[in-house]
Amino acid sequence: MSEETLFTKIINGDIPADVLFEDEQCICIKDIHPQAPTHVLVIPRKPIPRLSDASEADKALLGHLMLQVGEIARKLGVDDAFRVVINNGESAGQTVFHLHLHILGNKTFDEGSLGMH
Ligand code: 5GP
């Protein structure tokens, strides 16, 4: 069996994290190195390595994650303006190979900037 990802360890409670919300399909934790005053990660329990590894079978899960992003942004009070980032692949800045959506808020982003930094 392949090794558990960092986020699977967090989901299983083997590594501590600030868990804000969770449901049967995903978990939302605070990012340990926040790039904005509000920076959380929405992580599916299913360890899909990258967005580009998702398949037709993951369609409902991906939709659920997107809806959760909106719901969580509302709960955190940043729904008026926030950024969602998915890094796909090492060169794109992905460091944890377990799909996750970054929600960044309470920060003004440059119009021309696409990244998190
Ligand atoms: P990526 O670079 O793969 O898109 O995002 C991985 C994110 O996970 C980074 O923003 C990083 O700060 C965060 N991270 C890495 N290790 C941990 C950890 O142990 N706990 C939490 N809460 N976040 C982590």
Side-chain angles (χ1 to χ4, degrees):
M1 214 183 85
S2 63
E3 222 174 89
E4 279 182 353
T5 70
L6 169 68
F7 291 156
T8 293
K9 289 178 184 157
I10 286 176
I11 287 165
N12 291 339
D14 297 330
I15 291 178
D18 285 332
V19 180
L20 300 181
F21 309 103
E22 56 183 318
D23 67 15
E24 68 289 347
Q25 294 185 75
C26 65
I27 186 167
C28 174
I29 62 171
K30 281 193 190 172
D31 197 291
I32 206 166
H33 297 303
Q35 306 291 321
T38 298
H39 186 176
V40 303
L41 305 171
V42 182
I43 308 166
R45 293 182 186 277
K46 180 177 178 182
I48 301 166
R50 303 170 302 175
L51 179 63
S52 58
D53 295 311
S55 69
E56 192 67 22
D58 300 312
K59 208 177 200 173
L61 173 59
L62 295 179
H64 180 75
L65 294 172
M66 294 302 277
L67 289 175
Q68 279 302 108
V69 164
E71 185 65 29
I72 289 165
R74 267 190 294 282
K75 285 179 177 158
L76 296 177
V78 298
D79 51 309
D80 189 46
F82 62 94
R83 179 166 283 188
V84 182
V85 173
I86 299 175
N87 295 321
N88 189 106
E90 203 174 328
S91 312
Q94 186 174 3
T95 57
V96 180
F97 286 79
H98 181 146
L99 176 65
H100 51 283
L101 295 83
H102 298 256
I103 302 177
L104 299 133
N106 282 317
K107 173 175 170 170
T108 304
F109 298 93
D110 294 343
E111 269 178 47
S113 120
L114 287 173
M116 296 198 299
H117 306 290

